[in-house]
């Protein structure tokens, strides 16, 4: 899946939602490529500051499924 993106927040929400659907097996597992250097850079900043995640995100990140919803594909 290729996601052309211009809005950082919406891009992150979309990637997170797609990841959750794949984990729930409601979508097949497939790589997601985000075509937005800004979104990729901002995501790296978020990854460095997990203390800023809300409780739902912290719980999801620690679920132990071995996959990172913030991971870049490829």
């Amino acid at each position: 899946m290729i996601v052309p993106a211009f809005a950082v927040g919406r891009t992150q929400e979309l990637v997170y939602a797609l990841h959750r659907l794949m984990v729930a097996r409601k979508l097949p597992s497939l790589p997601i490529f985000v075509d937005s250097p800004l979104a990729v850079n901002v995501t790296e900043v978020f990854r460095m500051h997990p203390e800023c995640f809300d409780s739902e995100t912290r719980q999801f990140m620690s679920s132990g499924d071995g996959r990172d919803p913030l991971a870049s594909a490829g």
Side-chain angles (χ1 to χ4, degrees):
M1 175 178 297
I2 298 175
V3 179
F6 302 99
V8 173
R10 280 180 262 173
T11 300
Q12 290 171 325
E13 287 287 329
L14 178 61
V15 171
Y16 181 67
L18 290 169
H19 177 81
R20 290 193 64 141
L21 289 169
M22 286 183 236
V23 168
R25 300 187 189 279
K26 293 182 180 181
L27 282 179
S29 184
L30 52 101
I32 300 170
F33 299 92
V34 176
D35 184 14
S36 171
L38 178 59
V40 171
N41 291 339
V42 169
T43 298
E44 288 303 316
V45 172
F46 276 104
R47 180 178 281 113
M48 293 185 307
H49 296 283
E51 71 277 6
C52 296
F53 296 160
D54 63 17
S55 59
E56 178 187 359
T57 303
R58 277 193 300 275
Q59 180 181 5
F60 184 73
M61 296 289 285
S62 66
S63 66
D65 73 358
R67 294 180 275 184
D68 179 359
L70 301 177
S72 59

